[in-house]
Amino acid sequence: EAEVAQSPRYKITEKSQAVAFWCDPISGHATLYWYRQILGQGPELLVQFQDESVVDDSQLPKDRFSAERLKGVDSTLKIQPAELGDSAMYLCASSLAGDEQYFGPGTRLTVT
Amino acid sequence: GDSVTQMEGPVTLSEEAFLTINCTYTATGYPSLFWYVQYPGEGLQLLLKATKADDKGSNKGFEATYRKETTSFHLEKGSVQVSDSAVYFCALNPWGAAGNKLTFGGGTRVLVKP
């Protein structure tokens, strides 16, 4: 069964450092999402891509966060510099034309 | 803006007990409604969905009915198993939204004891 892949699964970094997460969606899924899930809360959408274009990044803190999906396939989410409040689970999801979203296992980030 | 409110957990049950998780929403028009489940160490999985008023979504013994009059989408299961222990999220996709822009509730942790 096809799955959304994410790496790394866990990341510990010091504040002010740069950190990057990678996501490989299910083959053929044009829509890709990045969510942030703070412990004990529901996921919040950070950015949505349709192919290589950003559809919605209204909740992305653009002063420190960036996301790209250069070839419309895999995607990278970067934080620079990381802050203590960025500690969270970062989830990637993909879907076919706005249908059901399939989630990856997530990257758990701890900023010290 | 749109929002989803779920009952707080944890909910602790014995095996074969009846499970209800309350979910209410605030949104304009007729959003699509979803329940997702997150097992320990895993990503979210779609459990069931309903796209219009009075629709009933069902899967793996779980059910939820879209109630427009009470803006609710409560999740129920008649006889839970230990394997149902997980965190359950209610979510909505706004009416007329381009693409699938999900707004999630805070999640409800369910623990089923043997």
Side-chain angles (χ1 to χ4, degrees):
Chain A
E1 181 177 313
E3 296 180 342
V4 176
Q6 290 188 247
S7 66
R9 292 291 306 275
Y10 305 91
K11 180 69 177 179
I12 300 174
T13 192
E14 295 181 348
K15 64 179 182 179
S16 79
Q17 296 299 304
V19 64
F21 315 128
W22 177 79
C23 172
D24 191 11
I26 293 172
S27 178
H29 282 196
T31 312
L32 184 147
Y33 312 80
W34 282 102
Y35 290 87
R36 177 170 59 187
Q37 184 181 16
I38 296 171
L39 188 64
Q41 299 182 19
E44 293 180 303
L45 181 68
L46 291 175
V47 61
Q48 177 182 350
F49 289 92
Q50 182 68 30
D51 298 309
E52 68 275 9
S53 300
V54 173
V55 173
D56 184 352
D57 64 356
S58 57
Q59 299 304 310
L60 188 71
K62 299 181 187 62
D63 56 335
R64 298 184 300 107
F65 286 64
S66 64
E68 61 183 15
R69 194 183 183 198
L70 293 176
K71 297 183 179 179
V73 180
D74 58 338
S75 175
T76 301
L77 178 70
K78 297 179 181 177
I79 307 175
Q80 182 174 15
E83 296 182 352
L84 294 177
D86 296 331
S87 295
M89 176 78 83
Y90 290 83
L91 296 167
C92 180
S94 68
S95 70
L96 267 176
D99 205 336
E100 174 184 347
Q101 291 188 28
Y102 294 82
F103 284 80
T107 296
R108 181 167 295 284
L109 173 67
T110 301
V111 182
T112 62
Chain B
D2 299 334
S3 66
V4 176
T5 302
Q6 294 180 233
M7 59 186 290
E8 290 192 17
V11 174
T12 303
L13 303 165
S14 297
E15 209 165 20
E16 300 183 0
F18 185 88
L19 171 67
T20 299
I21 304 176
N22 290 338
C23 170
T24 57
Y25 68 90
T26 300
T28 55
Y30 295 86
S32 296
L33 301 174
F34 305 82
W35 276 101
Y36 278 82
V37 58
Q38 187 174 32
Y39 298 103
E42 298 183 13
L44 278 70
Q45 300 174 25
L46 178 65
L47 184 58
L48 52 84
K49 66 179 181 182
T51 58
K52 60 182 187 294
D54 299 325
D55 265 3
K56 176 184 283 188
S58 61
N59 186 27
K60 299 181 181 179
F62 290 89
E63 293 183 341
T65 301
Y66 189 143
R67 301 290 189 197
K68 177 66 174 172
E69 63 276 14
T70 55
T71 62
S72 65
F73 193 54
H74 304 321
L75 183 68
E76 298 181 336
K77 186 175 185 182
S79 178
V80 295
Q81 305 299 313
V82 171
S83 57
D84 294 323
S85 298
V87 181
Y88 293 81
F89 292 93
C90 186
L92 68 81
N93 182 24
W95 184 49
N100 200 358
K101 299 179 183 294
L102 294 175
T103 297
F104 287 88
T108 302
R109 181 175 299 277
V110 173
L111 177 61
V112 181
K113 296 184 174 181

